[in-house]
Amino acid sequence: MDLVRETWNIAREDIARVGVVAFLSLFEKYPETQNIFLPFRGLTVDELQHSARLREHGLRVMLTVEKCIARLDKPEKLQDLLHDLGQKHVEFNTKVDYIDMVGPQFIQAIRPVVKSDWTPEVEDAWEDFFKLLIYFMKEAMCF
Ligand code: HEM
């Protein structure tokens, strides 16, 4: 997970944009996910790009990523944080499948920011990291 920590320090410089890009590509690929955010229903890509709400959620996700990285050495705290977040997403009507879909979009959004430091090993490390994050969120959503 050292590779995640190191590349996060590069990606975090552009976190607001990374969050927006990741959710725009999620909405493009899986249009039904846009409707989960009630105020986004019917908005165009251009309107979404300028939405403070989308920027806010993107930032929240990125801040969660940051907190999780800080808790990688404290698995119980990491688990508590993500269980709590998973439960909240049930209340937000977010299906378990949507949580699965967002990991690859984030990896695609982070990659161009990390630029030449992005390697296949870095990609593997981020995939593992998102699997962990998503696993704990989903654990709380399924039971
Ligand atoms: C790794 C994945 C995700 C993380 C880490 C994450 C994180 C967060 C956080 C921290 C909040 C604020 C919670 C609070 O108010 O206490 C939030 C709210 C919310 N999330 Fe997520 N989220 C993720 C994925 C998704 C997905 C895939 C969707 C829907 C397709 C979604 C929909 C929402 C909605 C509707 C809210 C309600 C508040 C708002 O409009 O911002 N989230 N999320």
Side-chain angles (χ1 to χ4, degrees), residues 23 26-27 33 36-37 53 57 60-61 64 85 88-89 92 94 98-99 102 130 133-134 137:
F23 272 88
L26 181 77
F27 297 160
T33 57
I36 299 296
F37 296 84
R53 184 85 179 264
H57 185 261
R60 283 173 168 167
V61 177
T64 305
L85 197 57
K88 282 186 179 156
H89 279 75
F92 301 146
T94 308
Y98 299 163
I99 301 294
V102 86
F130 269 106
L133 193 152
I134 284 163
M137 269 181 90

Side-chain angles (χ1 to χ4, degrees), residues 10-21:
I10 306 171
R12 73 185 307 284
E13 313 235 320
D14 214 0
I15 45 175
R17 207 179 59 83
V18 168
V20 171
V21 168

Side-chain angles (χ1 to χ4, degrees), residues 61-123:
V61 177
M62 298 314 276
L63 293 177
T64 305
V65 166
E66 181 150 89
K67 279 190 195 164
C68 290
I69 292 174
R71 291 179 189 198
L72 279 171
D73 298 331
K74 301 166 199 120
E76 278 172 26
K77 284 194 165 184
L78 179 67
Q79 200 172 337
D80 289 349
L81 170 79
L82 293 169
H83 279 173
D84 183 44
L85 197 57
Q87 267 158 15
K88 282 186 179 156
H89 279 75
V90 174
E91 287 155 31
F92 301 146
N93 288 323
T94 308
K95 288 189 192 154
V96 171
D97 291 350
Y98 299 163
I99 301 294
D100 267 333
M101 292 166 182
V102 86
Q105 312 308 320
F106 267 97
I107 290 177
Q108 295 306 319
I110 291 169
R111 185 173 23 197
V113 182
V114 173
K115 295 190 190 122
S116 58
D117 285 306
W118 193 268
T119 62
E121 292 75 23
V122 169
E123 182 149 335

Side-chain angles (χ1 to χ4, degrees), residues 5 7 47 50 61 69 96 120 139:
R5 281 197 190 91
T7 46
E47 286 166 332
H50 297 102
V61 177
I69 292 174
V96 171
E139 205 171 43

